[in-house]
Amino acid sequence: MQKRSLGFSLLSALMLLTCILTCVHGCDFAQPVCGAEAEGDVVIGIMLPCHQKVSAPQERIRPESFHCSHFDLETFMLSLATIHEIEEVNAAGFLPGVRLGYLMCDTCSYASKALQNVEHMLAINSSLNVKCDYTDFRPRVKIILGALYSEVSIAVARLLNVYMVPLLSSTSSSSELSEKTRFPVFLRTIPSDIHQTKALAKLMHHFDWNWVGVVYGDDDYGRAAFQSFLWDADANGVCLAYQEELPSFLGHSESKRRIRQVAQHIRSSSAQVVLLILRAELVHAIFEEMIRTNTSRTWIASDSWSSSWYLAHMDGINKIGDILGFTFVAGKTESFDNYLKNLTTPTAGHNHFIEKYKNLRFNCTPECFSSQPPPHCPPDDILKIKSAVACNINNPQEQNDDYLVNTLDTTKAFPNRIAVWAVAHALKKLLKCNTSSCSGETDFPPWQLLEELKKVKFQLDGQDFFFNENGDFVNGYDLLMWEADRHHREIRMIGKYHIQGEQIKLIMKNLNWVSTVNNTTPWARCSEHCAPGSAKKILNVSCCYNCTLCVEGTFSDDSDVNDCQACPNGTWSMRGWTQCKPRYESFLRWSDPHPISMLVAAAFGIVLLFTIFVIFLVNRNSAPMKKAEVRLSCVMMAGLAVSFASVICFIGRPSVHLCRASQLMYAMGFTLCVSCILVKAYRIFLAFLPFGQIVNRRLYKLYKPPVIVIVVTSLQGIICLLWLLFDSPDVDNTPPSPQSMKRVIQCREGSTFIGFGVMLGYIALLAFVCFLLAFKSRKVPQEYSETGYIIFSMLMYLFVWVCFIPVYITNSEQGTSVQASAILVSTYGIIFCHFLPKCYEALWKAEADAVEKILRKWGVISSPDQNSNTETDKDVAGVNTVFQRDNRFSVTSTTTILRSSDILSPVSEVDILPTSNENIHPHPQLIRLGSNVVRRRRSVSC
């Protein structure tokens, strides 16, 4: 067995040596430059990399042939798909009488190598002559299918622009290639990267990832895709934690150092999602670093490696985390799978790539698995494709199995199939084919095929395909997820991205996440979400922020808003609200409990006044009513009724008229009442306080009740008139507090409050004068006067309104209810102090009993035998009787009956003057002509 294996190894080495010698010394460059060929009437060029890279291009100093290494199964499969589809077109007789041939060259993923292939494909008689006009240029190859990478396609397309030879790619997605001014000959059967980067940004937005890192290659594809992603990421709220650029060629002298630096940056960054816009071999190098350091992240793949079998079967691939990515729309073909299971070289041509694959798969090379393999052995990753029965096979070229079908995702060759059929439909139109023959010339200039290709539209597997104005297909992407499958990864389609609607649609709802516990979606945000009612306060980039609550008057009804919205007119919001609401109006509503209670109190007060008025009229001739002055009391009742009525004006939605009416009614009504109290206090003051006769006469001249009432009330009327003219009460238009949803609708007592203050101050002044007069007469017995009632009622009024002032100032929102309550309290104080006692005396207290009790109280009746006391009845006219002893006075008990028809109502009362050490000078009213004084005197000495 070892001899046979050694023999196969020597045979392989001999074949490789022969190939190299031919490349260097041979004159026919067809075999070394292009590894697969089949003759045909119309030849299609195929440029795909069956090898991953060119060996040591930086060491190349002579224009020699390029040496390729690292055989790539995936791109080899894509080239086989293209060849198979060409054979399918021929077998189907789609172009009657015309056979399609192909010439396939390996670009080795290197642009310069691809340009060398183009020279060979376009050569006529082994040369490429320089011309000024290539309109009639008729090379053997009419169209080139490829290349794999955008950087190679860009280089090749620039050269083909000279000859106008169409370049149709199934994998080059750079957005630069859509610019027809720069690349008029380029077309592709996949979407532009403009759509792929949108899909990538939409994917991140879908999974709520906004803090990502990006690593891209320094080639045309990487830079263009990265710039496109920047725009789309910003539009979808995705921010870059970092961006790193790697040399696109793995053999670059700086590649290994830069890969280690990038890997360290990935490990140290807080970004848990990493987008890799790189070739598969660069991704492989980064993954090796991640596996070595046991680093797990969520990786987003660009189309260049999103379905790489080579990466999915890396050792330790399950340690690096989740992998998602987009690939082009795929489709499975049973005939292609059967083709891969039965690979054979064409009879009328050659395919050295198939031969090499079979040698790698079935050739027995045990020395390559030793600790020191010989130089001709492939890398360890390629050795993995070695069949377990390789050393039991006689002829590797005759051996086949289903390894390619089971290992690779053959559905990703669908765009290559579409490319072949697009060319076939364009040729059918150009060659004027019908069901039996094609009458057109097969040796046509390539630009004619390009012209027809741009207009082609066809169906394949039930789908419509055509090129847009940029020469691109817009058939969307498939979303892939790399699921753990033992020691490797299985690539599954979990969704689609529809270009037309720019939407991601997941087919698999329950995803198998590798990097998280309980199969939860990985977290990749710089900051937590800001809940509705708050906004983002950006720190350094838009994705890193603090959440701040919306201030009053603003709102946010969505998560993660940049700024809170201002509330529309008529609405308001509190801090941290998610919506604005109309401010509710606050005033004393008729239906609220407090206004109802005030209304009941005011109504009860009016009813009580009416009841008192009736009692006063019915009992107007009784002694208590005569002493209370019925007419003066009726005027007081009228003023109090107006005050009660003013309270009603405080209830309901305020208006200008109600604001003015409430203040004027209270001011005039209560002033009228207090002016009457002033008359009473003044009367008592004049009647019982000692002054000289001259002073008494002067004060007596001022005692004119109607004049006093009218003048005092008129002064208040003048104050109110000036108030209305210069600073009238109005509805308060002060904006509500920003911290309140309540709009207080209330009256404003003017802009300066001067009129309001003067009005209240005037009433307070009258009340204070009444209090002083009554206080000065406080020693007069209550049975003879109302000093106690006046003192108490005026103190109550002053206390209520003194308390009202600070409450009104500090709590302006409740000013209306406070003032109304103050009016009620002070008005009820007058009723309870002045009217109810008189009603009580008139209804339940007999006059005789009252006199007897009074006399007993003051010692006039001290014993049962008081009738034995000496009594002297004597009529006195105009004389004051005063007994004086040792500067002390002794005043006899006196019953005085006063009659005065000009000033006061007829009064019948019993006045008893207590003993005092003061000089008592009765008011002249007491000694007027016509007054009868009956004096009962008992000797009293002091």
Side-chain angles (χ1 to χ4, degrees):
M1 181 66 69
Q2 279 185 328
K3 291 182 179 179
R4 185 168 61 180
S5 300
L6 183 58
F8 282 125
S9 299
L10 292 174
L11 178 62
S12 300
L14 182 61
M15 291 176 60
L16 181 61
L17 181 60
T18 304
C19 179
I20 294 174
L21 291 174
T22 305
C23 294
V24 177
H25 302 289
C27 296
D28 185 7
F29 290 91
Q31 184 171 345
V33 176
C34 297
E37 183 180 6
E39 294 295 330
D41 299 308
V42 177
V43 177
I44 298 175
I46 304 172
M47 283 200 306
L48 290 172
C50 289
H51 293 82
Q52 291 183 4
K53 62 181 181 177
V54 170
S55 299
Q58 73 277 10
E59 298 176 3
R60 185 172 179 264
I61 58 174
R62 294 183 180 183
E64 300 172 334
S65 298
F66 294 94
H67 301 285
C68 302
S69 61
H70 292 75
F71 190 79
D72 192 338
L73 283 184
E74 287 186 275
T75 53
F76 169 64
M77 182 267 293
L78 295 179
S79 66
L80 293 179
T82 305
I83 292 173
H84 168 259
E85 211 60 33
I86 292 175
E87 294 177 355
E88 286 286 298
V89 172
N90 291 332
F94 187 77
L95 301 172
V98 176
R99 179 176 178 81
L100 297 180
Y102 59 85
L103 179 62
M104 178 182 169
C105 298
D106 187 1
T107 65
C108 301
S109 305
Y110 196 63
S112 298
K113 180 70 166 65
L115 290 174
Q116 186 185 64
N117 295 341
V118 171
E119 289 181 346
H120 177 72
M121 288 181 178
L122 301 185
I124 300 175
N125 298 324
S126 300
S127 65
L128 189 58
N129 297 326
V130 177
K131 297 182 179 181
C132 295
D133 187 357
Y134 290 95
T135 304
D136 198 39
F137 177 63
R138 300 170 187 258
R140 179 184 174 207
V141 174
K142 305 300 183 183
I143 185 173
I144 297 177
L145 303 184
L148 181 70
Y149 296 113
S150 295
E151 182 188 20
V152 179
S153 293
I154 289 173
V156 171
R158 288 189 181 277
L159 178 59
L160 293 180
N161 286 341
V162 178
Y163 310 102
M164 292 305 290
V165 176
L167 176 64
L168 179 58
S169 176
S170 301
T171 51
S172 298
S173 57
S174 173
S175 58
E176 288 189 30
L177 292 166
S178 296
E179 299 181 26
K180 295 300 102 177
T181 56
R182 297 172 59 193
F183 307 102
V185 301
F186 180 82
L187 299 96
R188 52 187 163 198
T189 58
I190 56 172
S192 166
D193 270 341
I194 292 177
H195 305 293
Q196 182 185 190
T197 54
K198 286 182 180 179
L200 292 170
K202 292 281 186 182
L203 175 67
M204 296 173 185
H205 180 75
H206 177 82
F207 288 113
D208 200 24
W209 299 331
N210 74 344
W211 191 236
V212 302
V214 180
V215 183
Y216 62 96
D218 64 355
D219 55 3
D220 293 329
Y221 165 73
R223 292 194 184 99
F226 173 70
Q227 291 299 325
S228 179
F229 175 75
L230 286 180
W231 290 97
D232 297 319
D234 183 67
N236 288 273
V238 178
C239 300
L240 270 60
Y242 58 86
Q243 59 189 60
E244 292 287 349
E245 185 180 75
L246 281 178
S248 59
F249 179 62
L250 193 58
H252 194 279
S253 59
E254 292 291 319
S255 292
K256 291 184 178 181
R257 183 183 65 83
R258 285 291 296 138
I259 288 172
R260 286 194 298 269
Q261 290 177 346
V262 170
Q264 175 59 31
H265 199 169
I266 293 173
R267 286 192 297 268
S268 62
S269 173
S270 61
Q272 298 298 307
V273 173
V274 185
L275 170 62
L276 300 181
I277 309 175
L278 300 169
R279 294 183 180 183
E281 58 267 22
L282 289 173
V283 177
H284 185 275
I286 290 179
F287 281 180
E288 284 182 335
E289 285 290 319
M290 297 297 106
I291 294 170
R292 183 180 63 82
T293 56
N294 198 26
T295 303
S296 176
R297 292 289 186 270
T298 299
W299 308 91
I300 307 298
S302 62
D303 62 83
S304 57
W305 66 274
S306 60
S307 57
S308 173
W309 170 89
Y310 171 58
L311 296 175
H313 286 75
M314 285 181 63
D315 291 333
I317 189 66
N318 289 332
K319 296 180 180 179
I320 66 171
D322 294 292
I323 302 175
L324 295 94
F326 288 100
T327 189
F328 309 113
V329 173
K332 194 169 185 66
T333 305
E334 193 69 30
S335 62
F336 179 52
D337 289 349
N338 293 330
Y339 174 78
L340 294 178
K341 294 176 183 178
N342 301 280
L343 279 177
T344 58
T345 56
T347 56
H350 63 271
N351 193 324
H352 299 307
F353 304 113
I354 295 178
E355 295 173 2
K356 183 168 186 177
Y357 163 72
K358 288 191 174 185
N359 285 330
L360 291 172
R361 173 69 177 163
F362 300 109
N363 197 8
C364 183
T365 55
E367 71 280 4
C368 292
F369 293 91
S370 63
S371 59
Q372 294 182 346
H376 67 268
C377 290
D380 293 340
D381 293 331
I382 305 300
L383 286 175
K384 293 179 182 179
I385 72 174
K386 185 71 68 177
S387 174
V389 297
C391 292
N392 298 324
I393 297 171
N394 294 325
N395 187 0
Q397 299 302 320
E398 295 178 357
Q399 187 64 32
N400 279 300
D401 59 8
D402 57 357
Y403 177 75
L404 291 176
V405 175
N406 295 332
T407 304
L408 302 176
D409 181 14
T410 59
T411 62
K412 63 184 300 184
F414 185 68
N416 299 77
R417 293 180 55 212
I418 298 174
V420 173
W421 281 103
V423 174
H425 280 83
L427 286 172
K428 189 172 185 178
K429 184 73 173 178
L430 180 63
L431 300 179
K432 303 176 183 178
C433 298
N434 52 33
T435 56
S436 58
S437 65
C438 296
S439 59
E441 182 183 1
T442 57
D443 188 18
F444 53 84
W447 63 267
Q448 294 182 356
L449 178 60
L450 175 63
E451 189 176 19
E452 292 295 334
L453 196 60
K454 290 181 178 180
K455 298 183 292 184
V456 75
K457 186 175 183 179
F458 62 98
Q459 281 191 340
L460 184 65
D461 296 344
Q463 301 182 56
D464 291 329
F465 297 98
F466 59 93
F467 297 100
N468 63 10
E469 64 277 6
N470 297 321
D472 306 329
F473 275 14
V474 286
N475 51 344
Y477 298 91
D478 290 338
L479 176 59
L480 305 179
M481 186 173 192
W482 293 29
E483 296 184 354
D485 182 22
R486 296 184 180 179
H487 301 295
H488 305 293
R489 292 293 182 94
E490 181 180 355
I491 302 174
R492 293 184 180 179
M493 185 183 73
I494 62 171
K496 288 183 174 294
Y497 176 77
H498 301 285
I499 290 178
Q500 298 297 333
E502 296 186 358
Q503 293 181 344
I504 292 177
K505 182 178 181 182
L506 292 180
I507 298 174
M508 296 177 61
K509 300 298 182 182
N510 298 321
L511 305 182
N512 298 319
W513 299 101
V514 176
S515 60
T516 58
V517 182
N518 299 327
N519 201 34
T520 57
T521 303
W523 187 88
R525 296 186 61 84
C526 183
S527 302
E528 292 287 351
H529 285 289
C530 286
S534 61
K536 296 187 294 187
K537 182 180 180 181
I538 307 300
L539 299 178
N540 47 9
V541 294
S542 61
C543 298
C544 300
Y545 48 81
N546 291 327
C547 297
T548 58
L549 294 178
C550 295
V551 298
E552 293 82 359
T554 63
F555 74 101
S556 66
D557 55 0
D558 200 0
S559 301
D560 294 334
V561 299
N562 293 323
D563 296 295
C564 297
Q565 303 178 47
C567 288
N569 292 334
T571 61
W572 195 253
S573 66
M574 299 304 293
R575 183 178 178 84
W577 277 23
T578 59
Q579 60 179 344
C580 294
K581 297 179 180 179
R583 274 189 165 121
Y584 68 91
E585 296 181 344
S586 174
F587 54 87
L588 297 179
R589 302 178 186 273
W590 293 97
S591 57
D592 292 344
H594 188 198
I596 290 177
S597 63
M598 290 194 303
L599 183 63
V600 171
F604 179 76
I606 294 174
V607 172
L608 185 60
L609 285 174
F610 181 75
T611 304
I612 294 172
F613 175 72
V614 172
I615 294 173
F616 267 59
L617 287 182
V618 172
N619 299 278
R620 62 183 178 275
N621 294 322
S622 63
M625 295 304 171
K626 290 180 179 180
K627 188 174 69 172
E629 285 297 319
V630 174
R631 286 186 294 181
L632 203 60
S633 297
C634 290
V635 175
M636 289 176 61
M637 292 180 203
L640 294 179
V642 174
S643 296
F644 277 125
S646 69
V647 174
I648 301 176
C649 296
F650 286 99
I651 303 174
R653 184 182 180 87
S655 65
V656 176
H657 304 295
L658 287 177
C659 292
R660 295 173 180 175
S662 61
Q663 299 297 338
L664 292 181
M665 289 174 66
Y666 167 69
M668 299 305 296
F670 207 80
T671 302
L672 181 63
C673 176
V674 175
S675 65
C676 295
I677 296 174
L678 179 63
V679 170
K680 289 187 176 185
Y682 190 53
R683 183 190 66 182
I684 298 171
F685 178 78
L686 292 177
F688 294 99
L689 289 184
F691 290 101
Q693 292 186 6
I694 298 175
V695 175
N696 284 345
R697 291 190 185 96
R698 290 176 179 176
L699 293 176
Y700 172 71
K701 290 180 181 179
L702 297 177
Y703 182 74
K704 299 182 182 299
V707 176
I708 293 174
V709 171
I710 293 172
V711 171
V712 169
T713 307
S714 299
L715 286 176
Q716 182 70 283
I718 294 173
I719 292 172
C720 293
L721 179 62
L722 296 175
W723 182 16
L724 292 177
L725 291 176
F726 296 104
D727 195 13
S728 176
D730 200 350
V731 178
D732 191 0
N733 293 322
T734 303
S737 170
Q739 289 78 31
S740 175
M741 285 297 294
K742 179 170 61 176
R743 181 185 295 275
V744 180
I745 308 297
Q746 63 180 356
C747 295
R748 179 182 61 177
E749 285 72 32
S751 59
T752 62
F753 292 91
I754 294 178
F756 182 61
V758 172
M759 182 270 289
L760 292 180
Y762 180 71
I763 299 177
L765 177 62
L766 295 178
F768 185 70
V769 171
C770 293
F771 168 76
L772 289 179
L773 293 175
F775 184 78
K776 192 66 176 175
S777 309
R778 67 187 181 280
K779 294 184 179 180
V780 176
Q782 184 63 34
E783 290 82 355
Y784 292 92
S785 67
E786 300 174 294
T787 55
Y789 300 142
I790 295 174
I791 291 173
F792 185 74
S793 62
M794 292 301 99
L795 281 177
M796 179 183 294
Y797 170 82
L798 293 173
F799 176 77
V800 168
W801 287 96
V802 167
C803 294
F804 161 79
I805 293 173
V807 174
Y808 184 84
I809 294 174
T810 58
N811 192 3
S812 60
E813 292 184 0
Q814 301 296 328
T816 301
S817 59
V818 170
Q819 185 179 0
S821 300
I823 292 172
L824 289 173
V825 173
S826 57
T827 307
Y828 270 107
I830 302 297
I831 292 176
F832 282 101
C833 291
H834 286 272
F835 296 119
L836 291 185
K838 297 302 179 183
C839 293
Y840 172 77
E841 292 177 5
L843 295 176
W844 288 286
K845 194 173 183 184
E847 181 179 356
D849 293 340
V851 173
E852 183 178 356
K853 291 179 180 179
I854 292 170
L855 295 175
R856 287 180 184 277
K857 182 175 182 180
W858 290 97
V860 176
I861 303 175
S862 60
S863 64
D865 58 346
Q866 72 179 38
N867 292 330
S868 63
N869 294 338
T870 305
E871 294 183 3
T872 304
D873 295 341
K874 190 175 184 179
D875 291 341
V876 180
V879 179
N880 291 333
T881 304
V882 180
F883 300 90
Q884 183 174 2
R885 183 183 302 162
D886 298 331
N887 295 327
R888 297 181 64 189
F889 294 92
S890 176
V891 182
T892 60
S893 300
T894 307
T895 300
T896 306
I897 302 175
L898 305 176
R899 288 180 175 87
S900 176
S901 60
D902 54 344
I903 298 178
L904 298 177
S905 300
V907 179
S908 176
E909 44 184 34
V910 178
D911 293 341
I912 299 178
L913 305 181
T915 302
S916 175
N917 58 355
E918 298 178 359
N919 292 329
I920 305 299
H921 300 278
H923 188 270
Q925 178 185 347
L926 299 178
I927 58 175
R928 290 187 59 190
L929 184 63
S931 298
N932 297 324
V933 179
V934 180
R935 179 175 300 166
R936 298 184 183 93
R937 178 170 57 86
R938 187 181 61 180
S939 298
V940 179
S941 63
C942 297

